[in-house]
Amino acid sequence: FFPEMKAKSETIDKKEDGLNLSKIFELLLVASVRDLLLTTTAVFIGLGSFRTVFSLAAEPIYGLNSQDLGYFMSFGAIVGLVTNVFLVARLISFFGSNINALVGAAFCLSICYVGYSFTSTYSEIMAVSIPVGIFSTLLYTVSGALMSLVVEKGDAGTAIALSHASRSFTGIVSPIIGGKVFDEFGIDGACWFAAGCCMIAAAFASIVSRSISKENITSSSSEKKQL
């Protein structure tokens, strides 16, 4: 048995390539993948920067204590859960396609963050947090689905990994950006900055929607095969 087991282990080792940097760079050259990453990165920077500074503004500006802040965060998580289970499919159907849902979610988020700048009470914040939770969840779900659709089936894992890597990158830079914006312009500036990021993402996704849309998945796959 031992020689046979050794042969199998050697075969397994040959199949495991590890981190394939060439495949990552190849996917980054695909217009649909690149455009999706740019769109989601802009949104995640805006959302991440606001979330970073909201806890700082919760007590002095909105009068929230630690318990209120905890309820607020838990409420946002509940909205996200309900959206994933009951609303995502309906919203995609309403917008007509995944890419339209992505554009619509980014646009609606920009409006919501403008709305945050006019809130001053706990009830107002909770009210605005409902559409923010719905559309941010929709954007996360749709962007992940699109990332797996615009590449060949064997590249879906690498493409999704790139998407998660971009979110990790925004998790590094958005607190720094958010803190700087908050120091210079206060919570209203943070709201408008997040709104601007989402609006830029919506506009960009709308412009490049043809490269991301499902109709061009086949053509993009054939182009990669020719390369």
Side-chain angles (χ1 to χ4, degrees):
F1 292 99
F2 290 107
E4 187 176 350
M5 291 176 64
K6 183 177 180 181
K8 288 183 178 179
S9 65
E10 288 176 354
T11 303
I12 293 172
D13 291 337
K14 289 179 181 179
K15 290 182 179 179
E16 293 180 357
D17 297 326
L19 182 62
N20 193 336
L21 292 177
S22 63
K23 177 59 67 176
I24 292 175
F25 287 120
E26 179 185 339
L27 290 179
L28 288 174
L29 293 176
V30 178
S32 53
V33 174
R34 185 174 62 248
D35 293 340
L36 270 174
L37 288 175
L38 290 173
T39 300
T40 55
T41 297
V43 174
F44 295 153
I45 287 177
L47 271 61
S49 63
F50 179 81
R51 288 172 179 169
T52 299
V53 301
F54 180 79
S55 58
L56 299 175
E59 183 176 358
I61 297 177
Y62 297 109
L64 306 184
N65 56 37
S66 57
Q67 187 175 16
D68 293 332
L69 187 59
Y71 284 138
F72 175 79
M73 292 182 175
S74 295
F75 180 72
I78 293 172
V79 172
L81 175 62
V82 172
T83 301
N84 267 324
V85 175
F86 299 106
L87 298 180
V88 167
R90 296 176 182 271
L91 288 171
I92 293 174
S93 177
F94 171 80
F95 284 109
S97 66
N98 282 329
I99 182 59
N100 289 341
L102 180 70
V103 174
F107 176 79
C108 291
L109 281 171
S110 68
I111 302 302
C112 292
Y113 280 102
V114 171
Y116 265 134
S117 66
F118 295 98
T119 59
S120 58
T121 65
Y122 185 51
S123 58
E124 291 173 348
I125 294 170
M126 292 290 280
V128 177
S129 71
I130 295 175
V132 169
I134 291 173
F135 290 114
S136 61
T137 302
L138 176 64
L139 188 140
Y140 291 146
T141 304
V142 169
S143 62
L146 282 170
M147 189 62 75
S148 63
L149 285 173
V150 298
V151 297
E152 295 177 354
K153 187 175 181 181
D155 297 333
T158 304
I160 293 173
L162 278 174
S163 178
H164 289 308
S166 70
R167 289 180 63 179
S168 298
F169 171 75
T170 58
I172 296 172
V173 301
S174 59
I176 300 173
I177 297 173
K180 182 65 175 178
V181 172
F182 183 73
D183 286 341
E184 294 290 334
F185 305 103
I187 189 63
D188 287 344
C191 293
W192 283 92
F193 175 77
C197 289
C198 294
M199 182 61 72
I200 290 172
F204 178 77
S206 179
I207 293 171
V208 301
S209 60
R210 292 194 62 179
S211 73
I212 305 175
S213 63
K214 190 172 182 179
E215 289 77 9
N216 289 283
I217 292 174
T218 304
S219 61
S220 65
S221 297
S222 62
E223 288 174 5
K224 288 190 292 179
K225 288 180 180 178
Q226 291 175 2
L227 293 174

